[in-house]
Amino acid sequence: VFIMCLDDASIKWMEVAFNYAEHALTNGEVPVGCVIVFNNSEELAVGRNRVNELKNATRHAELVAIDEALEKINSQLWRNEHPNITDSSEVFKNCVLFVTVEPCIMCCAALRAMKIPKVVYGCNNERFGGCGSVLSIHSDKLLDSSLGPVLSSIGGQQTLRAINLLKDFYKQDNPN
Amino acid sequence: WNLQTIYGNEYSPSKAALNLVKSIACSIVNKKFASIILKCLHENYPMTGLQHVKRIRTVKSTEGDCLQVLVFVGTKHLHASELHVLETNMETKKSPLDSIQSLNEIKEYLTSFVPVQVPIVPPLTREQFEMCQLYWPVSFHENKAVSQLMNCSLFTDADYCIMESNMKLAIQTAAAGKLMHPSANVGAVVVDSVSNSVIATAYDLRNIPCEINKGIMVAHPLNHATMVAIDLVAYSQGGGSYNYKDLLKMNDNSNYICTNLTLYVTREPCIMCCMALLHSRIKRVFYGTSFVGGGFGSSYKLNTIKELNHRFEVFQGVLENECSRL
Ligand SMILES: [Zn+2]
Ligand SMILES: [Zn+2]
């Protein structure tokens, strides 16, 4: 398996994502964490699983981060800091998502719908993965019209660390 | 309108679902040798795992009926290279069994070798069974539940009335959304599968702002009608992500996630929404009209994928014309 080596900045972003995955674990959620990075430099939003807390099975780290990003982009403070940006869709086109586990089929579709062009992730998601593990939603060109542009993906970053977090979670006695 | 089941490809009446495999059959020179031939074949080339395939068939011809026996099932009994050698032998009119020692005692009773195609997957439906018979005879044990699901006969007239009234509510919900924004032309209704009580009604909020955090109103690009409906179900259980204020209403519900709930949605959900329903363990989905790129039949059939941890029933076509006019 070819694993692309990340630059120092990307390694730092993966670290941020892992911090949020750990945060999820201590809050009794499946430990997946992520960060959306704007223009290769700005931490736009972070997210971690909130499924149990919100009683909504769709509240995966990626969707939680997208909510936070939208909230931020629409705040007066952020607008003042970025006076040249008028349309929030312009922001997502210049973002990369770093996430500890391969996005699921739902989240891959959501990333495409948000026009986020790239995802970097840790371990594969053998149960639900949409970047190739179960289906290849990220690259299916036939979904261009219904979802949005294809999503480039780089997996295999700190795989063991991501897996061990998941193992820690499933070792606990969790009803889900 | 016509109800159609969105079923897995393994149920489809297509050649691919039958999984036809190149095989070799031959005629028996005299019926009295049939039992010794079958015994010898059974010992050397058993039909383990192919119990539905009949070993012998009657071929009618003007010179009278003759018995044809299945000697080999390709992939089961032969490597591709072996099959190729036998086929070449058949073409050059040599006996294809010359090189096969184990069938020595029955060789002289066998003649007229022909290539045949054998369905190695047992037929799941009557249609598949009838297709199989065109290639090689098989047995068929009808699964009543599958048949009823496939031809939608599991529903009574009363069920159809319930479907119509729930879909009408979904259409009304979409119409209410369109008044807010012309693009909000999809409506979704979540009902309790048993009591049929309405848990949530939702329309598309992609272009209609709702409060995603205190004081921050955003038209959320991912707030498709189905996603909103799922969040309203969560809200009815004390969870939920957003505040829809007066946009939409929800009722009390004691279910955990969407187990035991049925969704009515005017248009086939997209991949994201279909997978969201799967994560939510929805029990059943009825939709009106298809949608290019939809995940319940148009591009994928996410409700039927064996690798995923939840499979559920999806039906298309409820009030299809009314839904497509939205
Ligand atoms: Zn996900
Ligand atoms: Zn959708």
Side-chain angles (χ1 to χ4, degrees):
Chain A
V1 179
F2 173 73
I3 296 171
M4 196 176 274
C5 288
L6 297 183
D7 55 33
D8 288 351
S10 300
I11 289 167
K12 191 193 88 183
W13 293 124
M14 279 307 288
E15 195 61 36
V16 175
F18 273 106
N19 284 340
Y20 279 89
E22 279 156 12
H23 197 242
L25 184 65
T26 53
N27 284 277
E29 301 276 359
V30 177
V32 181
C34 70
V35 55
I36 299 175
V37 178
F38 174 53
N39 273 348
N40 291 319
S41 58
E42 185 185 335
E43 178 181 308
L44 184 67
V46 291
R48 54 123 173 131
N49 253 310
R50 295 178 69 190
V51 167
N52 294 327
E53 177 195 345
L54 297 172
K55 295 183 163 54
N56 181 333
T58 73
R59 295 298 96 194
H60 289 187
E62 298 92 324
L63 298 198
V64 169
I66 288 169
D67 284 1
E68 192 181 296
L70 279 168
E71 190 189 318
K72 191 168 186 180
I73 294 164
N74 286 282
S75 71
Q76 204 53 53
L77 181 68
W78 203 84
R79 282 183 184 163
N80 292 344
E81 284 168 5
H82 302 81
N84 302 327
I85 294 168
T86 52
D87 183 3
S88 69
S89 72
E90 284 304 310
V91 181
F92 289 101
K93 280 180 192 161
N94 292 297
C95 285
V96 177
L97 175 84
F98 293 85
V99 55
T100 56
V101 179
E102 175 190 356
C104 76
I105 291 162
M106 171 186 74
C107 291
C108 273
L111 293 171
R112 288 186 66 170
M114 294 306 297
K115 301 185 172 59
I116 293 176
K118 184 174 169 181
V119 56
V120 177
Y121 62 87
C123 66
N124 287 348
N125 183 343
E126 304 293 349
R127 297 174 72 201
F128 303 115
C131 292
S133 287
V134 178
L135 294 175
S136 294
I137 299 302
H138 66 308
S139 61
D140 185 343
K141 286 199 163 48
L142 296 175
L143 299 173
D144 283 10
S145 67
S146 60
L147 289 181
V150 295
L151 174 70
S152 78
S153 76
I154 299 172
Q157 308 303 322
Q158 300 191 56
T159 306
L160 271 180
R161 186 175 174 190
I163 291 174
N164 284 334
L165 273 172
L166 293 170
K167 277 187 183 158
D168 286 347
F169 176 79
Y170 288 108
K171 257 192 300 209
Q172 299 168 358
D173 212 26
N174 191 286
N176 307 306
Chain B
W1 49 274
N2 272 320
L3 200 63
Q4 275 178 37
T5 309
I6 307 300
Y7 49 79
N9 292 340
E10 69 270 31
Y11 294 98
S12 78
S14 72
K15 259 176 102 169
L18 306 184
N19 211 336
L20 296 167
V21 156
K22 279 186 179 176
S23 305
I24 292 172
C26 66
S27 302
I28 296 176
V29 292
N30 189 321
K31 278 180 190 178
K32 70 182 179 187
F33 302 126
S35 64
I36 182 173
I37 290 167
L38 285 175
K39 185 166 172 283
C40 178
L41 286 176
H42 178 71
E43 277 163 13
N44 291 286
Y45 300 102
M47 300 289 273
T48 323
L50 294 172
Q51 278 80 358
H52 66 286
V53 179
K54 303 211 166 144
R55 190 104 214 195
I56 213 159
R57 74 172 172 186
T58 306
V59 179
K60 292 189 192 321
S61 77
T62 44
E63 295 124 57
D65 297 353
C66 90
L67 289 180
Q68 212 176 45
V69 64
L70 191 59
V71 190
F72 305 110
V73 177
T75 67
K76 168 79 186 162
H77 297 134
L78 301 169
H79 290 297
S81 56
E82 288 179 297
L83 185 68
H84 183 73
V85 169
L86 295 181
E87 282 176 335
T88 325
N89 283 350
M90 273 156 40
E91 279 162 24
T92 55
K93 305 267 192 255
K94 278 200 282 186
S95 167
L97 299 188
D98 277 355
S99 55
I100 294 165
Q101 300 291 321
S102 57
L103 299 182
N104 271 345
E105 58 168 318
I106 58 166
K107 262 176 205 166
E108 57 186 305
Y109 310 141
L110 302 174
T111 183
S112 313
F113 288 82
V114 285
V116 291
Q117 299 210 74
V118 171
I120 60 163
V121 173
L124 297 174
T125 67
R126 187 156 291 281
E127 271 176 303
Q128 285 186 349
F129 171 61
E130 279 156 16
M131 283 186 79
C132 284
Q133 305 299 83
L134 301 174
Y135 298 95
W136 188 268
V138 297
S139 56
F140 174 53
H141 302 286
E142 185 168 21
N143 178 329
K144 277 277 179 318
V146 168
S147 301
Q148 285 189 327
L149 185 62
M150 296 288 290
N151 59 27
C152 296
S153 63
L154 73 166
F155 297 115
T156 62
D157 286 350
D159 292 329
Y160 273 87
C161 286
I162 290 171
M163 283 176 219
E164 271 207 26
S165 77
N166 285 326
M167 193 56 90
K168 273 182 184 154
L169 181 58
I171 292 169
Q172 282 165 19
T173 308
K178 272 174 87 174
L179 291 177
M180 304 282 293
H181 193 282
S183 71
N185 61 348
V186 180
V189 172
V190 178
V191 305
D192 185 296
S193 306
V194 181
S195 70
N196 196 42
S197 61
V198 175
I199 309 289
T201 59
Y203 46 78
D204 199 296
L205 293 180
R206 264 175 270 196
N207 293 301
I208 301 171
C210 74
E211 190 174 35
I212 70 165
N213 203 344
K214 281 194 182 65
I216 298 190
M217 301 291 286
V218 173
H220 195 315
L222 303 182
N223 268 345
H224 300 187
T226 298
M227 295 298 272
V228 176
I230 290 170
D231 199 46
L232 288 171
V233 171
Y235 188 90
S236 74
Q237 299 161 56
S241 308
Y242 315 121
N243 183 359
Y244 306 100
K245 290 233 163 98
D246 303 326
L247 284 174
L248 297 157
K249 40 181 192 296
M250 69 293 296
N251 298 324
D252 281 342
N253 158 44
S254 56
N255 282 306
Y256 174 65
I257 49 178
C258 294
T259 317
N260 250 348
L261 300 186
T262 295
L263 172 78
Y264 289 85
V265 58
T266 54
R267 191 179 76 182
E268 182 184 355
C270 74
I271 302 281
M272 172 183 70
C273 291
C274 291
M275 194 60 192
L277 291 165
L278 190 144
H279 283 314
S280 303
R281 312 285 176 102
I282 195 89
K283 187 181 170 105
R284 243 182 210 166
V285 175
F286 293 96
Y287 69 85
T289 176
S290 301
F291 163 66
V292 179
F296 288 150
S298 292
S299 66
Y300 292 84
K301 296 173 180 173
L302 291 179
N303 59 314
T304 70
I305 297 180
K306 287 203 175 70
E307 289 79 7
L308 297 172
N309 67 344
H310 177 58
R311 279 169 299 285
F312 49 103
E313 294 166 4
V314 176
F315 303 91
Q316 179 255 322
V318 183
L319 296 177
E320 187 170 7
N321 290 333
E322 290 87 334
C323 289
S324 65
R325 278 198 292 270
L326 282 165

